[in-house]
Amino acid sequence: MGSRLGVLLKTYSGWEIYYNHSAAQTVGLDIAIDGMEATYERVRCMSPMGVDDPHAWKGATWIEGTLLIDETRKLVVWAEESEALYMPRLINYLVEHTWPGWTAAWSAEGTRGTLRAAGVDPATIFTHRSDRLPCDRAPSLEPWDEWHGVDPITVRMADGTLVTWRAYGFLDDLTGCGPENFLALAREVASRLPDESDAWEQTTDDYVPTTGIFVDYQARSLRWWSLQDMDMHLEDFDALWPGWTLTSSSDDYSWHQELTGQVFRTWADDVNECRSWIVRALEEGARANPLASLAHALSSQGHEISPYASALEFVPSNHQAAMETFDRLLNVVRDAPLKPARIINRHGTITPPFEEGEAGAFTPLVGDDVQVSSLRGQRSEPLGM
């Protein structure tokens, strides 16, 4: 535990790999606020991971957040133990201004995408093979609980019928159902919806969806959007949903709104939300080690606390920037939505692909074990093995 961050820094001299405890939750916001120079200074103050090649980073399976800084391509890839506080596309946009000449990509599927960006096949690190059995019910996905979530879940059944309801958008729970049990839930929702929908209205006014899921039984596909990366036991999905595809739509909720005819979020609120979190971060400044603060509080109450040394390895973001800079940047885009965040997925596919000459474009070096057909077309293309 501890919101563990792993940092992969690729220079022209090779790899440097670092560890930072209690630092994975706001990686995106941190690098956007701090900019390139301060982030470099921070990373070089972190503890070495003990490996010098990402192919040998077997501990990546227990990391909650990752940051790749590739000097050779001017590419930043980030994934965080997110609380869905801000739109990733806005973070990418801000990073590309506070890191002049660099390109940012969000790893929407967590550590696996970051590994791909480093030229590593995640299957060589995540070697777990699922023995999970389907569960009969997942209460978090049901809309009739008094305190259910408000993330939209849409199902297209084999006959083309569409049904949408609100619950918690936990992909891990959905995966655990398997297609048959989840279809049974969708049918039950559809049968109860006409008489009970009023009772299923959300019970909190200040909560808006941060994830949306579309399960298509005609296409045998599961598509999702979110404000947070989903490192959701992908081996379980492959085992429990054989023959199905799983695709991230980045933070693009527009297609889901068009599909359902419902409004889930608004761009104006997205921008304001991001602005408010930047304000909070700047007001807080460099925060104290949260574990050390907790240990001190417990010790003052008479408890004997002995934290592991690794848990005290915390280097904070300095959050020393002018709010005027971010106000100006956010004001530029507040009236028209940015395109969805550029992402890299577990297969190494970057969407949208790099344009010719754009920072981040990959040029294989002699001896590289990473093969790329092209990143310069109009399609999404695979990066890495």
Side-chain angles (χ1 to χ4, degrees):
M1 297 177 65
S3 193
R4 296 162 292 200
L5 174 67
V7 181
L8 305 173
L9 173 58
K10 184 178 184 181
T11 71
Y12 287 97
S13 301
W15 288 99
E16 301 172 24
I17 304 177
Y18 297 94
Y19 174 74
N20 199 13
H21 204 76
S22 302
Q25 287 183 310
T26 57
V27 179
L29 191 68
D30 292 344
I31 63 175
I33 291 176
D34 288 354
M36 182 187 68
E37 291 185 8
T39 299
Y40 262 77
E41 292 176 6
R42 180 190 182 198
V43 167
R44 289 240 160 86
C45 290
M46 296 176 186
S47 300
M49 186 70 74
V51 293
D52 57 8
D53 186 328
H55 290 84
W57 186 24
K58 301 304 180 183
T61 57
W62 49 262
I63 288 290
E64 284 92 16
T66 49
L67 175 63
L68 168 73
I69 303 172
D70 188 340
E71 286 183 2
T72 67
R73 292 154 59 198
K74 295 293 187 287
L75 174 66
V76 180
V77 176
W78 59 281
E80 60 185 25
E81 188 183 28
S82 175
E83 296 180 6
L85 304 178
Y86 35 73
M87 295 294 289
R89 73 184 80 175
L90 284 166
I91 295 300
N92 283 356
Y93 163 72
L94 294 173
V95 167
E96 290 176 0
H97 282 81
T98 61
W99 295 58
W102 290 63
T103 295
W106 173 45
S107 180
E109 293 173 335
T111 300
R112 291 171 176 83
T114 308
L115 287 171
R116 281 289 188 182
V120 179
D121 181 352
T124 64
I125 304 294
F126 290 86
T127 57
H128 166 72
R129 294 296 174 262
S130 176
D131 56 1
R132 186 175 177 179
L133 298 175
C135 60
D136 293 333
R137 303 296 292 252
S140 67
L141 303 174
E142 299 172 353
W144 34 76
D145 185 82
E146 181 181 2
W147 300 106
H148 65 81
V150 298
D151 294 324
I153 299 174
T154 300
V155 174
R156 176 181 284 135
M157 301 188 196
D159 63 0
T161 301
L162 278 176
V163 58
T164 298
W165 70 93
R166 302 294 186 100
Y168 288 105
F170 296 156
L171 280 174
D172 185 35
D173 288 349
L174 195 156
T175 293
C177 289
E180 292 79 15
N181 291 339
F182 185 70
L183 179 59
L185 171 61
R187 286 172 171 161
E188 182 177 357
V189 170
S191 68
R192 295 172 61 173
L193 192 62
D195 297 326
E196 301 182 26
S197 59
D198 288 345
W200 299 349
E201 291 298 317
Q202 69 184 72
T203 53
T204 56
D205 296 329
D206 59 346
Y207 183 58
V208 295
T210 58
T211 298
I213 301 171
F214 175 41
V215 183
D216 189 339
Y217 282 85
Q218 290 185 333
R220 294 174 64 82
S221 66
L222 191 157
R223 183 182 181 191
W224 58 277
W225 61 267
S226 188
L227 276 64
Q228 54 194 147
D229 52 88
M230 297 286 185
D231 197 352
M232 48 149 286
H233 306 289
L234 296 170
E235 296 80 11
D236 291 336
F237 183 86
D238 293 339
L240 295 176
W241 296 68
W244 284 66
T245 60
L246 174 67
T247 306
S248 167
S249 297
S250 183
D251 57 2
D252 181 13
Y253 55 85
S254 62
W255 62 268
H256 202 175
Q257 293 188 151
E258 293 171 3
L259 178 69
T260 61
Q262 300 180 23
V263 175
F264 304 140
R265 303 181 61 92
T266 67
W267 178 246
D269 288 341
D270 292 338
V271 174
N272 289 335
E273 183 178 55
C274 183
R275 192 191 308 268
S276 70
W277 284 107
I278 294 174
V279 169
R280 294 187 190 189
L282 293 179
E283 289 177 347
E284 179 185 34
R287 65 190 178 105
N289 185 332
L291 182 59
S293 299
L294 176 62
H296 176 74
L298 292 174
S299 296
S300 65
Q301 297 174 16
H303 299 284
E304 185 175 342
I305 305 297
S306 300
Y308 288 113
S310 62
L312 298 176
E313 296 174 356
F314 174 67
V315 181
S317 169
N318 65 27
H319 290 169
Q320 299 296 314
M323 187 62 210
E324 291 78 6
T325 299
F326 298 101
D327 276 332
R328 175 176 53 81
L329 291 170
L330 293 174
N331 288 343
V332 170
V333 299
R334 65 184 174 188
D335 295 327
L338 292 168
K339 293 180 180 179
R342 171 172 276 152
I343 65 169
I344 182 168
N345 69 10
R346 65 194 183 280
H347 304 299
T349 303
I350 290 183
T351 309
F354 294 119
E355 299 295 332
E356 186 170 0
E358 184 177 5
F362 181 75
T363 303
L365 303 175
V366 175
D368 265 341
D369 58 359
V370 179
Q371 297 181 356
V372 180
S373 58
S374 172
L375 291 178
R376 299 188 176 93
Q378 298 302 309
R379 300 178 293 111
S380 302
E381 298 287 352
L383 171 68
M385 297 187 294

